Amino acid sequence: MSAAAMTPDQARAAAERVMARCDELAALSETPDALTRVYLSPEHQRANALTGDWMREAGMTVWQDSVGNICGRYEGATPDASALLLGSHLDTVRDAGRYDGMLGVLTAIETVRHLHQQNRRLPLAVEVVGFGDEEGTRFGITLLGSRGLAGTWPGEWLEKEDEQGTRVVDALRDFGLDPHRLSDAARPLGEIAAYLELHIEQGPCLEQADLALGVVTAINGARRLNCTFTGQAGHAGTVPMGQRRDALAGAAEWMTEIERTTRAAGQDRVATVGALQCKPGAVNVIPGQARLSLDIRGPEEEPLEALLEDLLARAHAIAERRGLTFEADEFYRIAATACDTSLQQHLANAVTDVQGSAPHLPSGAGHDAIAMADHWPVAMLFVRCKGGISHHPAESVTTADVAQAIQAYTQAATDVATHSPRNP
Ligand SMILES: [Zn+2]
């Protein structure tokens, strides 16, 4: 452990503060009976102000950047040192839980608070960011906060509209920001050494392993496709079984193949058919067309691509045998984001110190770390959440788990900011 590691008692007190602050932030909502806090809303403004106060109290200098992220900096041993950046997001989905995102921002503040109380300066500065948008709830585009900080906002984003027809550019002005100065939020590469994010798992793996903490190996890449089997509609009573070209039966056969093949393929890959329509869709007509969606995800690009090719080849084979045609149209693709191995090792050491072992797991959900990974090494620490439930008011973590998380996260952050090979 580092010389001035956090004690379990200190971690417990920090966790109680974090839990209370999650409740305080949960009260900043556009509706009183459900937590909804979207990008560039009055609630976002209030969440930034409150979080900024907590950052200041923890020893940081605080500013709001030009895309609406709230940022704090705790100087390193030398002025202008590169920073280890810690953080997550402060926006939510509609009718959200109170830990997704916020937990990562508030635990990061505790890490700095701990360093500040010991008057300890590290070779790297430590910065904390509360990103203004990760979920994409308001404008349907995600990672606006982290992509602003990474300087990767596409210009056309300014014209995107919310459901009321308010454009991003106008929402920025209403929030008090200058849309012409967006690029000011982009951080020069040398100012940041690495990004560490703590987040709830949003899945059931840690709970099943009976462990509070896990180290993320990668954020899953994904492919989404619209697929169509086309056959021949016909009379359900008159066309003999041997002469049918039933599109839905072909789709059904493929669906069971998808499940069986993906399960056997392993390597944390998952595949889902989430939507299915058939035409004409009548009880007495053989389906002439079946349209279905395919969503596949995995932590590594090559195995993911190999699985996709395998599944599509199986679809074509099924179609050929059944006298159908098959078409697939990919409409969404995001590459897998690998977590930095050295940062993972720092996290694994700290997690092992705190809970005895360090399971590694991929992230099935997207995170701000995806945008940060365009420029900087990233890693993530996952905290068990009850039933794996997230994006729902039943989202739940325990104070004991949060205490372990703060202890491990603070130790890992301190180690990285002390020993990072990128130190100036
Ligand atoms: Zn999140």
Side-chain angles (χ1 to χ4, degrees):
M1 281 210 198
S2 356
M6 193 181 266
T7 66
D9 280 353
Q10 288 170 325
R12 178 82 196 182
E16 281 166 5
R17 200 161 36 240
V18 164
M19 297 298 274
R21 287 175 173 180
C22 285
D23 293 345
E24 273 190 76
L25 284 174
L28 304 181
S29 171
E30 71 179 44
T31 47
D33 49 346
L35 170 54
T36 302
R37 190 170 54 246
V38 302
Y39 184 46
L40 303 177
S41 62
E43 300 75 43
H44 176 194
Q45 204 126 40
R46 286 155 65 202
N48 274 4
L50 191 54
T51 305
D53 287 346
W54 292 330
M55 287 174 167
R56 236 170 258 116
E57 181 207 301
M60 287 177 260
T61 52
V62 175
W63 69 99
Q64 179 177 276
D65 74 13
S66 64
V67 296
N69 300 315
I70 187 77
C71 308
R73 178 175 170 99
Y74 180 73
E75 292 295 341
T78 53
D80 301 327
S82 300
L84 169 64
L85 183 61
L86 311 176
S88 193
H89 59 95
L90 292 173
D91 68 315
T92 73
V93 295
R94 295 197 179 280
D95 200 8
R98 59 188 58 193
Y99 304 106
D100 177 348
M102 286 68 81
L103 188 69
V105 180
L106 297 175
T107 51
I109 293 173
E110 291 300 325
T111 295
V112 172
R113 181 191 167 102
H114 180 71
L115 292 170
H116 181 59
Q117 284 189 334
Q118 299 178 317
N119 209 8
R120 196 157 169 224
R121 299 285 167 178
L122 305 174
L124 289 183
V126 180
E127 293 192 15
V128 177
V129 59
F131 289 117
D133 177 280
E134 188 271 345
E135 304 284 7
T137 308
R138 181 169 180 186
F139 294 103
I141 33 177
T142 62
L143 304 174
L144 284 95
S146 42
R147 292 195 64 178
L149 193 144
T152 54
W153 260 53
E156 69 265 22
W157 275 8
L158 282 173
E159 298 301 319
K160 296 277 182 192
E161 292 180 358
D162 67 10
E163 276 176 11
Q164 279 70 47
T166 304
R167 296 176 305 161
V168 172
V169 61
D170 299 319
L172 285 164
R173 280 200 198 96
D174 294 346
F175 198 77
L177 298 168
D178 180 354
H180 299 295
R181 308 202 57 170
L182 282 185
S183 57
D184 290 2
R187 300 294 298 272
L189 297 194
E191 284 187 11
I192 292 172
Y195 175 71
L196 279 187
E197 179 170 356
L198 179 153
H199 202 280
I200 58 167
E201 183 200 347
Q202 300 182 269
C205 297
L206 290 172
E207 192 171 72
Q208 262 169 24
D210 199 21
L211 290 168
L213 307 175
V215 179
V216 177
T217 52
I219 300 167
N220 279 351
R223 314 280 187 267
R224 289 180 191 160
L225 301 90
N226 286 321
C227 305
T228 309
F229 284 93
T230 306
Q232 179 68 56
H235 194 293
T238 61
V239 183
M241 293 308 288
Q243 292 174 35
R244 295 183 176 207
R245 293 163 58 210
D246 183 331
L248 182 57
E253 185 181 346
W254 188 45
M255 283 171 63
T256 58
E257 282 271 291
I258 289 169
E259 188 183 40
R260 192 185 55 74
T261 306
T262 308
R263 204 181 275 174
Q267 292 182 278
D268 293 317
R269 286 167 289 181
V270 291
T272 306
V273 173
L276 176 66
Q277 299 107 26
C278 76
K279 282 184 184 169
V283 66
N284 57 353
V285 183
I286 299 162
Q289 189 187 70
R291 287 172 57 84
L292 64 171
S293 62
L294 175 64
D295 174 305
I296 77 164
R297 307 183 196 209
E300 290 176 273
E301 279 294 300
E302 273 180 34
L304 184 61
E305 200 59 35
L307 176 64
L308 179 60
E309 280 171 24
D310 185 13
L311 294 179
L312 293 178
R314 287 167 191 272
H316 283 290
I318 289 167
E320 196 174 309
R321 181 160 39 75
R322 290 173 167 270
L324 310 171
T325 58
F326 175 77
E327 282 174 280
D329 172 32
E330 184 179 295
F331 63 91
Y332 174 81
R333 161 181 290 247
I334 187 165
T337 300
C339 290
D340 180 78
T341 46
S342 155
L343 294 175
Q344 280 188 61
Q345 192 57 54
H346 282 291
L347 281 171
N349 292 345
V351 168
T352 304
D353 280 352
V354 169
Q355 73 177 10
S357 64
H360 285 71
L361 71 169
S363 170
H367 296 290
D368 293 300
I370 292 173
M372 302 306 291
D374 282 346
H375 297 319
W376 299 289
V378 304
M380 293 189 71
L381 177 64
F382 268 175
V383 183
R384 162 171 60 187
C385 59
K386 190 177 178 190
I389 294 166
S390 69
H391 287 188
H392 188 276
E395 201 174 277
S396 175
V397 296
T398 67
T399 308
D401 284 1
V402 172
Q404 290 203 340
I406 293 171
Q407 216 182 345
Y409 189 62
T410 298
Q411 185 187 325
T414 305
D415 289 349
V416 171
T418 305
H419 302 296
S420 164
R422 288 194 165 208
N423 280 359

